[in-house]
Amino acid sequence: MTGIFFLGYMAYAPFFVRGVLKRTGEERENYIKLHVGRWGRRSFSLPKSKVHISGLENKPQKGPYIIVANHRSMLDITLIQGYVNAHAGFIAKKELGKFFTVGQFLKILGGELIDRENPRDAVVAIDNMIRKMKEEGQVIAIFPEGTRSTDGQVHEFKIGSMKIVTKAKVPILPIAISGTEKSMPKGSVYIKKADIYLSIMPVVKPETFDKWDSKMLSEFLRNMLIDELKKIEGGELIERGKG
């Protein structure tokens, strides 16, 4: 399955990038949402996974806002693109830019590539993303654990990852994810059928955390995700539709 996805991406990506560059304004935005959203959903429909969603009513109609999610699989990104916001930008390691059109793809979505060994890169990336949020209503998604969890726990948030949240002062959309680790575990190159659970939680408004430092905000958001995952994995998630 992964081989099919990769070959499909290799064939499709240049046409997508060309299509985006030919468009401007609302037409460009609609094109991105259509194609990236569809690609994200196919990551789950092709292996016949079932995506269970709750809290769609909590999703803001427009940006800027920052999605904060727990991280269990590489599929977490496509889950967000397919079912929450197709035009969400991500910070990714610079090495990904060496792969075929991946760098262009991430940049088009509002993302940034950084050298993890160079702190200055992270500062510049954060400033660029904040500018896009303020000027263009860009939506950003971050995984503050910094790496994928292999034991199902929500690990401590990296304080540095919260800098974009405390500096931007835009609404936060917490999202709890479960099941992607069964579809594509860390280290696996295969995508398998699984039940995927996605809970979109109520927005945390900037005035709520205006006086907090990164540590306080990290603990608050991490506890929200831990509590929500307990509900999901205890069978309390109610499917309310798909978007």
Side-chain angles (χ1 to χ4, degrees):
M1 180 62 72
T2 304
I4 294 172
F5 268 69
F6 182 72
L7 289 173
Y9 169 77
M10 291 285 284
Y12 167 73
F15 295 99
F16 169 75
V17 170
R18 192 179 309 150
V20 172
L21 296 178
K22 285 168 54 178
R23 292 165 170 81
T24 59
E26 188 174 349
E27 185 186 4
R28 175 183 172 125
E29 183 67 15
N30 290 337
Y31 185 86
I32 290 172
K33 287 182 176 178
L34 171 65
H35 290 272
V36 177
R38 184 169 58 193
W39 183 263
R41 291 187 292 275
R42 283 179 177 171
S43 300
F44 302 95
S45 63
L46 287 179
K48 301 190 184 308
S49 292
K50 185 170 178 58
V51 179
H52 307 265
I53 304 174
S54 69
L56 276 171
E57 71 279 5
N58 294 321
K59 185 172 70 171
Q61 294 299 309
K62 61 181 181 178
Y65 59 89
I66 297 175
I67 295 167
V68 174
N70 64 301
H71 198 16
R72 294 189 175 181
S73 168
M74 286 297 292
L75 289 178
D76 297 337
I77 293 174
T78 53
L79 185 68
I80 288 171
Q81 291 172 333
Y83 295 93
V84 183
N85 192 298
H87 200 167
F90 296 83
I91 294 178
K93 57 185 179 181
K94 187 162 281 184
E95 290 80 0
L96 286 176
K98 298 175 183 177
F99 290 95
F100 186 71
T101 69
V102 169
Q104 273 186 299
F105 185 79
L106 287 169
K107 288 280 188 182
I108 282 171
L109 297 182
E112 293 284 335
L113 295 169
I114 65 167
D115 179 355
R116 290 182 175 178
E117 303 301 317
N118 184 350
R120 177 62 185 164
D121 259 20
V123 172
V124 172
I126 287 171
D127 288 345
N128 286 342
M129 294 182 108
I130 290 173
R131 176 184 55 78
K132 291 173 191 173
M133 283 190 276
K134 299 296 187 184
E135 295 179 3
E136 304 168 18
Q138 176 70 51
V139 174
I140 301 298
I142 63 171
F143 302 107
E145 293 167 272
T147 189
R148 287 160 282 168
S149 173
T150 58
D151 59 8
Q153 303 300 309
V154 181
H155 293 277
E156 295 292 332
F157 286 4
K158 307 292 186 187
I159 298 301
S161 70
M162 299 303 293
K163 286 183 179 178
I164 191 169
V165 183
T166 55
K167 287 181 70 175
K169 298 192 182 301
V170 299
I172 300 169
L173 184 65
I175 290 179
I177 297 170
S178 179
T180 50
E181 74 284 359
K182 296 176 182 175
S183 183
M184 191 177 184
K186 187 174 182 177
S188 173
V189 295
Y190 298 103
I191 300 174
K192 299 181 290 188
K193 177 181 177 180
D195 279 304
I196 310 297
Y197 297 89
L198 171 67
S199 178
I200 304 170
M201 301 162 71
V203 164
V204 181
K205 296 180 179 179
E207 50 265 35
T208 301
F209 57 90
D210 186 51
K211 307 285 186 193
W212 297 357
D213 60 20
S214 294
K215 189 175 188 317
M216 291 174 64
L217 181 56
S218 294
E219 290 176 353
F220 175 77
L221 293 171
R222 180 170 176 263
N223 287 333
M224 283 184 72
L225 292 175
I226 289 171
D227 290 344
E228 191 68 7
L229 284 166
K230 286 179 181 176
K231 294 177 184 177
I232 291 172
E233 289 158 7
E236 296 181 37
L237 184 73
I238 299 173
E239 188 176 9
R240 297 176 182 171
K242 297 176 181 177

